[in-house]
Amino acid sequence: MDTTLLSILAATALAGIGSILAAALLSLTVMSRIVKPMVSFSVGVLLATALLHSLPEAFESGADSHALFATLLAGLLGFFLLEKLALLRHSHHHEGDGHGHHHGHDREEAGKSGMLILVGDSLHNFADGILIAAAFVADPHIGVVTALAIAAHEIPQEVGDFIVLLNAGFSRARAFAYNLLSSLSAVVGGLIGYLLFDRMATWVPFVLVLASSSFVYIAVSDLMPQMQRRPKWRESAVQVALIVLGVVLVYVLTRHAHGHGHLH
């Protein structure tokens, strides 16, 4: 196995695991105690990741814009249909609420409700893996910088994912395990990107758009409606502040990283 491939596998694994560990340290300790308010932060992070990072990256790649918009539309409708079919249906029922469901009902529901964010995150990590592979093939030094930049901007997104999973009913251990598993798709992306770079490069923008569609869908269809149930002006002010915080954090962390992962 040549050194470039070893470097790609190591970089994608470390970037994924490193960002997960950093996010877990934040979201599974302090933030897990204030899940409801932090849903607003997740909205800002997910929308900013999609609209300020992934979609611009996709559209600046040179891919046909009409095809990318069609992919975005297909992604939004696809996640809606999957949710309608109850494959990825969201439910915010929790154990011990007195509804009298059978034992294990909540675990089943949490599994369904958390799948949407995990699908989107896996797609995003897969695309990141391809971008890291492309950077290492071009120049190992650029590869290292790209991997570090991706790890940095993944942290707020992973924090947002953890909050979404906890809000959906996942236990801390389960949320961590599934997020860690999802991060391994970056390694798969790195391997495939290295082996099939010429062909995979053209697909990266479409993978990014699909990932973005899941982030936008979950923020707009699930998280924002929850926030509308708290109409008091003080709570609304906190929500807006946390959304802005999420947006600003993603913007700051991706501004310097933007451009390292371009595929032309």
Side-chain angles (χ1 to χ4, degrees):
M1 191 179 295
D2 65 52
T3 55
T4 300
L5 179 55
L6 283 173
S7 298
I8 290 169
L9 295 177
T12 50
L14 290 175
I17 294 172
S19 61
I20 288 290
L21 291 176
L25 184 63
L26 292 171
S27 54
L28 298 184
T29 54
V30 179
M31 292 182 184
S32 65
R33 300 169 193 165
I34 49 172
V35 169
K36 292 299 179 185
M38 292 310 296
V39 165
S40 304
F41 174 77
S42 299
V43 168
V45 167
L46 293 176
L47 290 179
T49 298
L51 300 175
L52 300 182
H53 176 68
S54 296
L55 288 176
E57 192 77 22
F59 279 89
E60 290 171 10
S61 67
D64 180 66
S65 60
H66 290 86
L68 291 175
F69 273 116
T71 302
L72 180 61
L73 175 61
L76 292 171
L77 293 177
F79 285 118
F80 169 74
L81 291 174
L82 285 170
E83 196 169 41
K84 275 290 185 182
L85 292 170
L87 294 175
L88 302 176
R89 181 166 58 86
H90 282 240
S91 170
H92 302 287
H93 161 78
H94 298 282
E95 291 287 1
D97 66 358
H99 289 181
H101 295 290
H102 67 272
H103 182 69
H105 171 84
D106 298 280
R107 183 174 295 180
E108 294 168 10
E109 290 300 301
K112 295 176 184 176
S113 67
M115 282 302 294
L116 183 59
I117 195 67
L118 291 171
V119 168
D121 197 30
S122 296
L123 287 169
H124 193 266
N125 290 334
F126 179 77
D128 282 344
I130 296 174
L131 294 174
I132 290 173
F136 268 101
V137 169
D139 185 328
H141 294 94
I142 296 176
V144 171
V145 172
T146 300
L148 291 174
I150 284 175
H153 85 243
E154 281 290 306
I155 293 172
Q157 182 202 312
E158 296 295 350
V159 169
D161 291 350
F162 272 118
I163 297 301
V164 171
L165 292 175
L166 293 174
N167 184 62
F170 277 68
S171 67
R172 297 183 188 186
R174 201 155 175 248
F176 178 78
Y178 275 87
N179 258 309
L180 191 62
L181 187 63
S182 173
S183 74
L184 295 180
S185 63
V187 180
V188 177
L191 177 61
I192 293 176
Y194 174 78
L195 297 175
L196 304 173
F197 176 71
D198 290 337
R199 279 175 278 182
M200 287 303 300
T202 60
W203 288 98
V204 172
F206 297 94
V207 176
L208 287 173
V209 169
L210 279 177
S212 298
S213 70
S214 75
F215 295 159
V216 171
Y217 181 82
I218 194 172
V220 173
S221 74
D222 184 62
L223 302 183
M224 282 182 161
Q226 288 182 56
M227 294 160 57
Q228 297 288 26
R229 297 169 197 160
R230 300 179 178 85
K232 294 181 180 179
W233 71 268
R234 288 184 179 178
E235 292 177 339
S236 297
V238 171
Q239 288 174 346
V240 171
L242 287 170
I243 290 174
V244 171
L245 177 62
V247 170
V248 170
L249 189 58
V250 170
Y251 174 75
V252 169
L253 290 176
T254 58
R255 184 179 57 172
H256 299 296
H258 189 65
H260 287 304
H262 279 306
L263 289 176
H264 298 287

